[in-house]
């Protein structure tokens, strides 16, 4: 299967088209959808009441009984999905020709939304940074995708990353259990983030965590002497550190791997699906990971 | 620890050892600003790793600097003295003290010899300390050798400082030139008499260019015992490299009217205006002012018109400069005796301008050139000639004489034959007849003159093109040298020796009968040159260089010979050597420049003779420009050679060299060790 690399995807004109390209390409590539059989299912009849849609009146019953009855079905969606996208400043980092993490995240959100809506699931999108920046409630209508893409296309980066606070705030918006998809670089304290995720899990939510990182964040490939300036502000100041990347590269990689390992181990421990994505990774990998977890 | 360097000139490369730091500080890139998402791990890694890495980096930098520093130091060949005297056995030291005349060069009122003695005194104090340190001298044997172009004086090897200092006090200036090679060779010879040990030759001289021969020669051929392990230390007693000296290199006096021809050389870099004076018997008789361009020679001539009947003694003196020895040139000039010429005129005609010998006489008496010509001329007829006592005459000129009988001549007497219409060759002796053939008429010119002949050495100064001959004798060249040829290659003037006779035959007439030669300017010079030819080798030498042995031969017995030294400083006996043909006087105590008077009794008659002695100017001794260190090193190949500055640390440096060790190998070893460490640290830091 040939994946569409993120860079070439950017050449497509709008987000809607990009999401569709990703998802349809992905589905057609799989030949068999694991979600076949999900369809609307009749449950019972009830007497017509004013306000009911006329298209739901069972005209056969009216012919037999001369009374109006409407058909009742199961809920319109199988699942409520809440996609949380981290829009903090650190998500703006990019190296070389890769797209920045936020753009990558936006595409991933769009693709997942499209996929879920296509499957008649209900999807809502929440933008977070140090708090919940925007909450779009979940809907199962495919036309709702346009609303989602409009929001995604107009994202403005927020403050510093405080995932824990954001998750705590987000949990107050949740009325019913569902699937929570967190898309972030998770550049915060792993213990506190995992604690918050565990808290959501405890409330019977399904959780998928997509950690997006730039390849340069993993191996620090810079040469010579450098002054590293933080993308996120602390108050009004940006922190700066003088260092020589070549000297610290090995130690940095160890620390970063431990950091990733914390999330991998923690998520596994709490039954949370975890997927590490680098911005040079094709989106299909992310979608594949998602669907594999759903299938299981 | 005290360090001294064998190649101190290379100390300037030491800053090279700072190169790694310079590269580190000035050639590092400016840090670039990188906007990064999460600094926590960079901060942690930097805190953990960077101090250690930085430490390794600085260690590397330090090691690289050290390696370069040690390598640079190794190039300078350091000698270290760790403050322990007497650690080495048998230190043998020869102090070569230059006493040549260039050492009388004066700077700030002190001569270089004074400075050299002062240096020697300090070195003796440092090398042979007295009092509590007296035990430090037991391993040392020191000899002082004074040298010029010869070994003047020397002491035996000793560590008795008092005897060495006593000797040093007696060291005096000489008027000889410098020959360092013979002095070093002598030092090697003296070392051979000692048991094995560490040997050092310390040369204290003006270190002028003239201490070595101008031509580069293999040191092994000059000094067969040359040993490159013997340390050679040069200490210049010269304060500056400036050579403020002008010298009278030579002086020749010639002519009846005395012509002084001197060569004066300016060794300095500036044009000098010097006064020059001539003193006759300490009385100033001539003065002038000279201008001499830098580094150039001037041939200065002047005439002394006073009539000299007796011997002339005196000195030519330049204005005093830093080196006064070569400002004075002493001279003795014996008055030239007239050359007695007898002209036998075979065709006197009516006398006056018509006689055959008229032009010859004019040429010799000087009527056409100068009045006092130096010739005493007598004219006679062939008949009168038979009655003449020919022993009195130096030159006999036969001028168109018909018949010539056998002639008995004395040694160094010369016969010149001018031919003509009266000559009857068959009536000449065989030794003449064999060279004179038939007469030829025509138009002849001078074709060539033998350039190698001493007779007519300056013929180039005259025009000979217009000299014509209408009739000549055909001369044969049997047993003879042809000096002049006609344009048809026929000999015109031949020279031959027969028994004790020196004979010249001129193929044409002495008057204008057959040639226009007597009317040309070349003629008087030609005749005079012929007549003077034999008188050149007869003069005894009366000018000597300091140290040269004076020898005079006499025809007879000599007794009671002695010499009055210059300025009446004393009288020294002269050595008389018996000889079968006559005695010889020999005198060798010509150490000081000046006028010497030799007194002797010859065949019972009291006689005297003056001679002059001057410092030898022939070997560039007057040029006191310092020798280049490279020249010394090139000459003494592979030697452990040092040139030390005469400064306050001189004694310390010399002690370092004598007592210390050369540390080049140690420094190279350390450099190698640090290189190994550097490689290790470099590997670790990666």
């Amino acid at each position: 299967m040939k994946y569409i690399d993120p860079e070439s995807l950017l050449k497509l004109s709008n987000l809607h088209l990009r999401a569709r390209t990703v998802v349809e390409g992905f589905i057609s590539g799989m030949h068999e959808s694991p979600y076949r059989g999900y369809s609307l299912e009749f449950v019972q009849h009830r007497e017509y009441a004013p306000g009911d849609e006329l298209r739901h009146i069972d005209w056969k019953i009216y012919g037999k009984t001369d009374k109006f009855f409407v058909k009742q079905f199961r809920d319109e969606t199988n699942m409520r999905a809440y996609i949380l996208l981290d829009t903090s400043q650190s998500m703006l980092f990019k190296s070389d020709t890769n797209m920045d993490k936020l753009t990558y995240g936006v595409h991933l959100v769009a693709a997942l939304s499209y996929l879920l809506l296509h499957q008649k699931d209900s999807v809502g999108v929440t933008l977070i940074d140090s708090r919940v920046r925007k909450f779009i409630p979940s809907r199962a209508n495919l036309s709702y995708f346009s609303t989602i893409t409009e929001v995604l296309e107009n994202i403005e980066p927020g403050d510093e990353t405080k995932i824990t606070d954001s998750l705590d705030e987000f949990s107050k918006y949740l009325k019913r259990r569902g699937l929570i998809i967190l898309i972030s670089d998770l550049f915060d304290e792993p213990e506190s983030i995992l604690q918050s995720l565990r808290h959501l899990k405890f409330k019977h939510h399904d959780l998928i965590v997509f950690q997006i990182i730039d390849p340069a964040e993993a191996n620090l490939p810079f040469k010579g002497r450098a002054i590293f300036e933080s993308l996120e502000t602390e108050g009004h100041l940006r922190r700066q550190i003088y260092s020589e990347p070549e000297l610290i590269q090995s130690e940095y990689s160890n620390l970063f791997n431990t950091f990733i390992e914390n999330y991998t181990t923690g998520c596994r421990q709490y039954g949370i699906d975890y997927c590490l994505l680098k911005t040079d990774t094709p989106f299909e990998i992310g979608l594949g990971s998602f669907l594999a977890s759903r299938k299981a | 620890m005290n360090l001294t360097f064998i190649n101190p000139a290379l100390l300037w490369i030491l800053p090279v050892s700072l190169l790694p730091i310079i590269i580190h500080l000035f050639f590092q890139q400016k840090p670039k600003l990188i906007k990064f998402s999460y600094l926590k791990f960079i901060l942690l890694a930097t805190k953990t790793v960077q101090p250690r890495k930085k430490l390794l980096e600085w260690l590397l930098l330090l090691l690289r600097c050290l390696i370069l520093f040690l390598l640079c130091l190794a190039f300078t060949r350091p000698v270290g003295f760790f403050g322990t005297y007497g650690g080495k056995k048998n230190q043998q030291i020869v102090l070569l003290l230059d006493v040549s005349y260039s050492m009388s060069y004066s700077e700030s009122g002190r001569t270089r010899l004074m400075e050299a003695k002062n240096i020697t005194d300090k070195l003796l104090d440092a090398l042979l300390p007295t009092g509590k340190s007296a035990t430090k001298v037991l391993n040392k044997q020191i000899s002082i050798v004074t040298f010029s172009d010869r070994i003047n004086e020397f002491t035996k090897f000793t560590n008795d400082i008092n005897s060495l200092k006593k000797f040093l006090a007696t060291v005096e200036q000489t008027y000889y030139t410098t020959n360092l090679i013979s002095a070093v060779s002598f030092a090697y010879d003296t070392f051979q008499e000692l048991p094995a040990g560490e040997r050092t030759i310390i040369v204290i001289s003006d270190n002028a260019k003239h201490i070595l021969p101008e031509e580069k020669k293999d040191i092994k051929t000059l000094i067969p015992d040359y040993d490159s392990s013997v340390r050679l230390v040069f200490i210049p007693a010269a304060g500056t490299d400036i050579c403020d000296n002008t010298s009278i290199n030579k002086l020749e006096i010639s002519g009846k009217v005395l012509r002084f021809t001197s060569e004066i050389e300016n060794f300095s870099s500036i044009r000098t205006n010097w006064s020059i004076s001539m003193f006759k018997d300490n009385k100033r008789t001539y003065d002038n002012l000279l201008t001499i361009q830098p580094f150039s020679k001037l041939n200065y001539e002047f005439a002394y018109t006073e009539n000299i009947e007796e011997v002339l003694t005196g000195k030519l003196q330049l204005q005093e400069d830093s080196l006064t020895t070569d400002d004075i040139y002493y001279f003795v000039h014996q008055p030239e005796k007239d050359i007695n010429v007898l002209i036998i005129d075979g065709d006197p005609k009516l006398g006056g301008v018509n006689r055959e010998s008229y032009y010859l006489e004019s040429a010799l008496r000087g009527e056409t050139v100068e009045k006092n010509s130096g010739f005493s001329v007598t004219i006679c007829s062939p008949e009168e000639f038979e009655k003449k006592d020919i022993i009195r005459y130096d030159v006999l000129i036969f001028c168109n004489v018909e018949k010539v009988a056998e002639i008995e001549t004395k040694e160094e007497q010369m016969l010149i034959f001018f031919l003509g219409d009266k000559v009857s060759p068959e009536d000449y002796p065989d030794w003449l007849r064999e060279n004179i053939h038939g007469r030829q008429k025509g138009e002849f010119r001078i074709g060539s003159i033998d350039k190698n002949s001493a007779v007519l050495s300056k013929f180039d100064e005259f025009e000979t093109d217009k000299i014509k001959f209408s009739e000549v004798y055909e001369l044969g060249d049997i047993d003879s040298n042809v000096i002049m040829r006609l344009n048809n290659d026929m000999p015109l003037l031949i020279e031959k020796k027969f028994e004790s006779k020196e004979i010249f035959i001129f193929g044409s007439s002495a008057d204008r009968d057959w040639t226009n030669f007597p009317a040309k300017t070349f003629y008087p010079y030609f005749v005079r040159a012929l007549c003077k030819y034999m008188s050149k080798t007869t003069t005894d030498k009366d000018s000597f260089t300091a140290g040269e042995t004076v020898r005079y031969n006499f025809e007879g017995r000599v007794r009671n010979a002695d010499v009055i030294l210059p300025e009446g400083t004393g009288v020294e006996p002269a050595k008389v050597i018996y000889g079968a043909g006559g005695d010889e006087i020999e005198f060798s105590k010509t150490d000081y420049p000046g006028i010497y008077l030799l007194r002797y009794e010859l065949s019972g008659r009291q006689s005297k003779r003056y001679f002059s002695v001057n410092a030898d100017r022939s070997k560039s001794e007057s040029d006191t420009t310092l020798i280049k260190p490279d020249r010394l090193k090139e000459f003494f190949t592979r030697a452990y050679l040092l040139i030390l500055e005469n400064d306050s640390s001189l004694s310390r440096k010399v002690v370092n060299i004598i007592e210390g060790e050369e540390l080049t190998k140690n420094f190279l070893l350390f450099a190698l060790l640090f290189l190994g460490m550097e490689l290790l640290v470099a590997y670790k830091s990666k």
Side-chain angles (χ1 to χ4, degrees):
Chain A
M1 180 172 166
K2 190 180 177 185
Y3 295 139
I4 303 169
D5 68 278
E7 198 183 342
S8 47
L9 192 71
L10 277 176
K11 292 171 188 165
L12 296 177
S13 60
N14 62 48
L15 191 60
H16 186 116
L17 187 62
R18 288 180 212 154
R20 220 179 74 189
T21 308
V22 171
V23 173
E24 287 179 356
F26 174 70
I27 289 172
S28 65
M30 292 193 59
H31 301 295
E32 185 188 2
S33 169
Y35 288 85
R36 190 181 297 168
Y38 276 87
S39 60
L40 294 176
E41 194 179 333
F42 172 76
V43 178
Q44 63 182 0
H45 288 99
R46 73 167 169 80
E47 211 165 342
Y48 173 76
D52 287 339
E53 286 189 38
L54 288 175
R55 65 185 175 106
H56 289 148
I57 293 173
D58 191 338
W59 296 107
K60 285 182 183 174
I61 299 290
Y62 175 74
K64 286 177 187 174
T65 62
D66 207 20
K67 285 183 180 175
F68 293 105
F69 284 90
V70 290
K71 287 180 181 174
Q72 277 197 320
F73 299 89
R74 280 181 184 248
D75 197 340
E76 287 177 356
T77 58
N78 294 306
M79 179 175 61
R80 285 176 190 278
Y82 303 97
I83 304 175
L84 280 83
L85 176 65
D86 181 0
T87 61
S88 63
Q89 295 278 343
S90 65
M91 290 291 282
L92 289 179
F93 180 76
K94 68 190 278 274
S95 64
D96 300 332
T97 54
N98 300 317
M99 62 173 66
D100 62 61
K101 294 186 286 184
L102 185 58
T103 309
Y104 191 91
V106 163
H107 284 81
L108 193 60
V109 170
L112 287 170
S113 303
Y114 186 84
L115 184 69
L116 288 165
L117 288 170
H118 197 70
Q119 293 169 173
K120 313 296 182 199
D121 287 333
S122 167
V123 177
V125 173
T126 305
L127 306 180
I128 58 170
D129 46 42
S130 57
R131 59 193 174 85
V132 174
R133 189 62 63 185
K134 191 154 195 146
F135 179 79
I136 306 164
S138 62
R139 295 279 186 279
N141 196 342
L142 193 58
S143 62
Y144 194 55
F145 183 66
S146 303
T147 312
I148 291 170
T149 53
E150 193 185 330
V151 170
L152 291 175
E153 278 172 347
N154 293 310
I155 279 178
E156 282 185 9
D159 294 338
E160 59 184 313
T161 315
K162 283 183 181 168
I163 307 280
T164 313
D165 293 352
S166 308
L167 286 178
D168 290 347
E169 191 184 343
F170 169 72
S171 65
K172 291 172 189 166
Y173 291 93
L174 298 176
K175 304 290 181 202
R176 300 163 69 177
R177 68 187 184 92
L179 171 67
I180 297 169
I181 301 169
L182 175 61
I183 299 169
S184 167
D185 54 13
L186 301 180
F187 282 158
D188 205 343
E189 289 305 318
E191 289 78 17
S192 57
I193 290 176
L194 286 169
Q195 197 58 42
S196 296
L197 293 173
R198 189 184 169 198
H199 183 67
L200 289 171
K201 189 76 184 171
F202 186 70
K203 289 184 175 179
H204 304 292
H205 292 292
D206 278 342
L207 280 169
I208 302 175
V209 174
F210 287 104
Q211 187 174 15
I212 303 170
I213 58 165
D214 189 279
E217 288 171 332
N219 54 23
L220 207 67
F222 309 107
K223 306 277 178 194
R225 302 186 305 150
I227 294 172
F228 289 96
E229 186 179 84
S230 172
L231 283 168
E232 296 186 350
T233 51
E234 290 178 12
H236 292 292
L237 297 173
R238 287 184 191 278
R239 190 169 189 180
Q240 287 190 336
I241 298 170
Y242 167 80
S243 189
E244 291 175 42
E246 283 163 300
L247 293 183
I248 63 165
Q249 199 174 40
S250 166
E251 181 67 17
Y252 175 91
S253 294
N254 288 341
L255 289 166
F256 195 83
N257 290 339
T258 310
F259 171 72
I260 298 295
E261 188 70 26
N262 281 339
Y263 284 114
T264 315
T265 317
C267 288
R268 193 184 304 128
Q269 189 181 344
Y270 301 136
I272 300 166
D273 293 322
Y274 171 83
C275 180
L276 178 68
L277 294 174
K278 290 185 181 171
T279 51
D280 57 353
T281 314
F283 294 104
E284 288 87 342
I285 304 286
L287 291 177
S289 168
F290 163 69
L291 291 179
S293 67
R294 291 302 88 207
K295 199 176 177 181
Chain B
M1 184 183 82
N2 287 323
L3 274 184
T4 306
F5 303 94
I6 298 173
N7 294 327
L10 289 180
L11 279 172
W12 66 266
I13 62 166
L14 273 185
V16 168
S17 53
L18 294 175
L19 210 59
I21 293 177
I22 291 166
I23 292 169
H24 181 79
L25 291 179
F26 296 104
F27 294 92
Q28 255 194 357
Q29 286 180 332
K30 246 179 108 177
K32 56 189 171 195
L33 185 71
I34 299 172
K35 296 203 170 190
F36 202 68
S37 49
Y38 198 50
L39 299 189
K40 183 183 172 184
F41 303 131
I42 293 176
L43 184 65
L44 283 174
T46 304
K47 277 184 178 172
T48 315
V49 175
Q50 200 141 303
R52 187 167 53 87
K53 292 265 187 183
K54 277 277 165 197
L55 189 71
L56 286 175
E57 267 195 1
W58 282 107
L59 187 63
L60 266 179
L61 197 67
L62 183 72
L63 283 170
R64 284 167 188 169
C65 288
L66 262 174
I67 291 164
L68 284 175
F69 181 72
L70 290 169
L71 283 175
C72 293
L73 270 185
F75 279 125
T76 62
R77 297 185 65 190
V79 176
F81 172 51
F82 299 89
T84 314
Y85 279 88
K88 294 181 182 178
K89 297 294 176 193
N90 297 329
Q91 288 290 340
Q92 295 151 8
I93 303 154
V94 172
L95 292 166
L96 286 179
L97 189 57
D98 183 358
V99 292
S100 64
Y101 84 72
S102 63
M103 291 294 281
S104 65
Y105 190 97
S106 181
E107 289 166 299
S108 311
R110 281 169 67 82
T111 64
R112 287 179 174 171
L113 181 63
M114 286 179 191
E115 190 56 38
K117 286 172 76 172
N118 186 37
I119 291 168
T120 312
D121 192 60
K122 280 189 204 164
L123 293 185
L124 289 176
D125 285 336
L127 292 168
L128 301 172
T130 51
K132 288 181 183 174
S133 310
T135 51
K136 297 168 185 173
V137 307
L138 295 175
N139 67 329
K140 295 192 196 82
Q141 292 287 307
I142 298 178
S143 165
I144 300 177
V145 178
T146 62
F147 74 99
S148 50
D149 59 352
R150 63 205 70 191
I151 300 303
N152 297 91
E153 288 176 288
F154 61 94
T155 66
K156 60 179 186 179
F157 280 96
T158 177
N159 53 22
D160 176 9
I161 189 167
N162 292 328
S163 67
L164 290 169
K165 284 203 170 190
K166 204 171 165 185
F167 171 80
L168 186 63
T170 63
V171 170
E172 279 187 359
Q173 177 76 53
T174 70
Y175 294 89
Y176 308 141
T177 54
T178 315
N179 187 341
L180 177 67
I181 299 299
S182 68
V184 173
S185 187
F186 177 80
Y188 280 123
D189 288 345
T190 56
F191 282 139
Q192 303 306 317
E193 296 162 10
L194 298 173
E198 287 203 358
R199 291 162 175 175
T200 309
I201 298 172
I202 301 176
V203 182
I204 306 157
S205 79
D206 53 2
N207 261 27
K209 283 199 291 192
H210 57 247
I211 62 172
L212 288 180
E214 280 182 21
E215 282 178 26
K216 168 82 178 86
K217 288 182 182 167
D218 181 19
I219 191 73
K220 279 272 183 191
T221 60
L222 295 170
I223 307 174
D225 297 329
Y226 178 67
D227 179 0
S228 59
S229 70
V230 174
R231 290 177 287 215
L232 267 174
V233 181
F234 285 84
I235 302 173
T240 65
D241 191 19
I242 298 166
C243 176
D244 167 29
N245 188 33
T246 305
S247 157
I248 303 175
N249 285 347
K250 57 185 172 186
L251 174 66
E252 284 177 9
I253 307 169
S254 61
K256 195 77 177 173
V257 174
L258 293 184
R259 180 164 295 279
F260 283 70
T261 307
S262 60
E263 183 186 277
I264 297 164
E265 186 166 1
N266 180 6
F267 295 98
S268 77
S269 58
I270 51 166
R271 194 178 69 167
T272 52
N273 294 309
W274 277 164
S275 68
I276 187 164
S277 311
M278 193 194 101
F279 293 84
K280 181 194 166 196
D281 303 327
N282 290 327
K283 195 175 155 192
R284 192 191 298 263
T285 54
Y286 175 83
D287 262 321
N288 205 347
L289 198 67
L290 302 175
T291 299
I292 316 171
Q293 298 302 321
F295 306 118
S296 63
K297 289 179 185 174
L298 174 77
N299 281 319
Y300 181 71
E301 282 191 6
F302 65 93
Y304 184 70
T305 51
E306 205 174 295
N307 198 20
I308 304 297
E309 297 294 336
E310 290 188 1
V311 64
L312 176 70
T313 61
K315 62 183 177 183
L316 190 66
Q317 186 167 358
L318 275 177
Q319 184 181 321
E320 274 192 9
D321 53 25
S322 296
L323 183 58
T324 54
T325 308
D326 56 13
D327 295 337
I328 300 172
Y329 205 103
Y330 294 95
F331 62 84
V332 169
H333 181 69
Q334 307 290 346
E336 285 182 17
K337 287 178 187 168
D338 282 349
I339 296 172
N340 286 321
V341 181
L342 178 65
I343 301 174
I344 303 104
D345 192 339
D347 188 15
K349 298 191 179 85
L350 296 170
V353 75
N354 294 319
R355 59 191 162 86
E356 190 82 20
S357 59
Y358 173 78
Y359 291 99
L360 280 176
E361 187 189 359
S362 300
L364 292 171
R365 286 198 196 280
E367 284 170 13
T368 55
V369 185
E370 60 186 45
K371 284 198 169 177
N372 196 348
S373 65
F375 293 96
S376 171
V377 183
T378 307
I379 302 169
C380 68
S381 65
E383 293 76 25
E384 289 168 329
F385 171 67
E386 286 171 13
K387 299 168 193 167
K388 287 273 180 196
D389 178 13
I390 61 168
I391 298 297
R392 282 184 54 234
Y393 300 99
D394 300 306
V395 182
L396 306 177
I397 302 178
F398 292 84
C399 184
N400 201 9
V401 175
E402 185 186 357
K403 295 175 183 176
V404 176
E406 197 60 54
I407 309 161
E408 287 299 323
T409 58
K410 65 171 182 179
E411 281 282 339
E412 294 157 9
Q413 201 170 33
M414 200 161 64
L415 306 174
I416 303 171
F417 293 88
F418 283 88
L419 304 179
D421 54 344
K422 302 281 183 201
V423 169
S424 169
E426 54 272 18
D427 294 325
Y428 276 34
D430 290 345
W431 45 270
L432 275 175
R433 197 167 52 231
E434 66 187 15
N435 291 94
I436 304 170
H437 308 305
R439 279 155 62 174
Q440 282 195 19
K441 285 189 179 180
E443 188 174 315
F444 309 100
R445 290 174 191 275
I446 293 175
S448 62
I449 299 175
D450 183 5
K451 292 176 184 176
N452 299 321
S453 165
V455 184
L456 299 173
S457 57
K458 291 183 182 174
F459 76 93
D460 279 342
E461 294 173 14
F462 299 93
E463 276 189 18
T464 54
D465 300 348
K466 292 176 182 172
I467 299 170
K468 294 176 190 171
F469 300 90
S470 58
E471 196 165 349
V472 293
Y473 269 91
E474 192 183 329
L475 299 180
D477 54 4
I478 299 166
D479 302 330
S480 60
N481 297 323
V482 180
I483 295 168
M484 288 171 85
R485 284 182 188 276
L486 292 169
N487 55 344
N488 63 355
D489 212 33
M490 215 157 70
L492 178 65
L493 176 69
I494 59 171
E495 176 199 10
K496 73 178 288 184
K497 279 194 167 70
F498 180 75
E499 295 172 349
S500 63
K501 300 176 183 68
E502 177 73 33
I503 306 152
F504 286 92
I505 306 171
F506 187 72
S508 191
S509 63
D511 66 356
R512 296 182 65 180
D513 283 355
W514 287 3
T515 174
N516 65 353
F517 189 20
K520 301 294 177 191
T521 50
F522 182 34
Y523 190 73
Y525 171 78
F526 170 74
V527 175
R528 283 156 176 263
L530 277 181
C531 294
K532 277 185 179 175
Y533 174 63
M534 288 299 287
S535 62
K536 278 192 175 177
T537 54
T538 57
T539 315
D540 269 329
K541 187 177 171 183
D542 48 27
S543 178
F544 299 87
T545 55
E548 190 179 353
T549 301
V550 175
R551 285 192 179 86
Y552 287 117
N553 290 302
F554 298 91
E555 292 174 356
R557 297 293 151 215
V558 176
R559 291 175 61 198
N560 302 330
D562 61 15
V563 174
I564 300 176
L565 301 179
E567 313 293 338
T569 48
V571 178
E572 288 285 342
K575 191 175 172 185
V576 177
I577 301 165
Y578 174 81
D583 291 347
E584 184 185 57
I585 290 180
E586 188 180 282
F587 182 72
S588 56
K589 292 189 175 174
T590 53
D591 295 328
Y592 301 97
I595 306 293
Y596 289 67
L597 174 60
L598 169 66
R599 299 182 300 187
Y600 55 94
E601 207 178 294
L602 177 64
S603 305
R605 255 178 60 196
Q606 194 65 37
S607 296
K608 63 179 183 181
R609 182 176 185 113
Y610 288 95
F611 60 89
S612 66
V613 172
N614 288 290
D616 187 359
R617 319 289 164 85
S618 63
K619 292 172 185 164
S620 306
E621 186 72 19
S622 294
D623 186 358
T624 58
T625 312
L626 290 188
I627 193 166
K628 289 186 176 150
D630 287 348
R631 174 106 174 87
L632 278 172
K633 285 175 183 171
E634 185 190 18
F635 212 90
F636 294 100
T637 45
R638 299 186 300 280
Y640 178 121
L641 188 146
L642 284 111
I643 300 163
L644 298 180
E645 290 294 319
N646 177 19
D647 53 21
S648 55
S649 61
L650 176 68
S651 301
R652 179 180 58 78
K653 285 178 187 169
V654 172
V655 171
N656 282 359
I657 291 154
I658 305 293
E659 297 281 355
E661 293 277 355
E662 187 177 343
L663 301 173
T664 307
K665 278 182 189 168
N666 307 45
F667 278 52
L668 283 173
L669 269 176
F670 273 112
L672 207 64
L673 184 72
F674 285 131
L675 185 67
M677 284 171 70
E678 195 265 353
L679 290 172
L680 199 69
V681 173
Y683 176 75
K684 275 272 177 194
S685 69
K686 284 187 178 176

